[in-house]
Amino acid sequence: MAVEFVAWPKIPRVENRKEFYTEKIDGTNACIIITEDGDFGCQSRSRIITPEDDNFGFARWAYENKEELMKLGPGHHFGEWWGAGIQRGYGLTEKRFSLFNTKLWGPHNPNTPACVHVVPTIHVNSVENAKQYLIDNGSLAAPGFMAVEVG
């Protein structure tokens, strides 16, 4: 089975729901692809990428960490590639990949690859409270970085 591109769907903006919210990390959309047959690949928001035809070094990083990333299992694993040299940079000296699927990945899942992060969740009762939390406290993904995206 060949690696195939799958577009990341738009995330609807939700207003005033009693749930958790995630921090909007300002980077570039990225995805690890693992087929049922064990083929491995990468994509950006709009195309398949490779270490030779890359997007901010994501494919090169992914192939360097392929063995660990295979723990994700079959599927399209979407996230944000962010940090040094991408958008806001967050004051980091390195780039990071943060998975969007907070229910599947994170500290509660022992199969979460060591080389990835998960977008941080904010447990408040409204979008306005989530935005205010980030304005007051800064980034949860990069503690100490105050110029977060709240739009």
Side-chain angles (χ1 to χ4, degrees):
M1 174 182 275
V3 171
E4 294 181 23
F5 175 83
V6 173
W8 171 252
K10 279 289 199 185
I11 300 174
R13 298 277 180 182
V14 180
E15 296 294 331
N16 295 322
R17 289 179 59 186
K18 282 191 169 187
E19 295 182 14
F20 68 89
Y21 300 88
T22 59
E23 179 178 348
K24 166 63 173 89
I25 300 174
D26 192 15
T28 187
N29 186 280
C31 179
I32 300 295
I33 307 164
I34 302 171
T35 69
E36 292 289 338
D37 296 334
D39 290 333
F40 183 87
C42 304
Q43 69 178 55
S44 68
R45 178 178 298 281
S46 59
R47 64 188 174 89
I48 296 289
I49 57 176
T50 67
E52 298 77 34
D53 184 20
D54 212 341
N55 185 34
F56 290 100
F58 178 72
R60 184 182 70 247
W61 171 85
Y63 278 89
E64 288 171 358
N65 290 279
K66 178 180 175 180
E67 184 177 335
E68 183 70 11
L69 291 169
M70 291 300 286
K71 291 180 181 178
L72 294 168
H76 282 70
H77 304 282
F78 291 95
E80 197 76 2
W81 181 237
W82 61 285
I86 306 174
Q87 305 291 10
R88 293 172 196 264
Y90 290 80
L92 298 175
T93 58
E94 78 281 353
K95 293 177 180 72
R96 297 178 181 173
F97 180 55
S98 294
L99 293 163
F100 292 146
N101 190 340
T102 60
K103 291 182 180 178
L104 179 58
W105 303 109
H108 61 281
N109 186 333
N111 295 320
T112 302
C115 60
V116 302
H117 299 261
V118 179
V119 294
T121 57
I122 307 163
H123 297 275
V124 294
N125 63 2
S126 72
V127 170
E128 290 76 22
N129 287 345
K131 289 178 181 180
Q132 193 60 53
Y133 181 90
L134 290 169
I135 290 166
D136 293 345
N137 298 289
S139 174
L140 295 169
F145 184 78
M146 298 304 291
V148 295
E149 182 172 349
V150 293

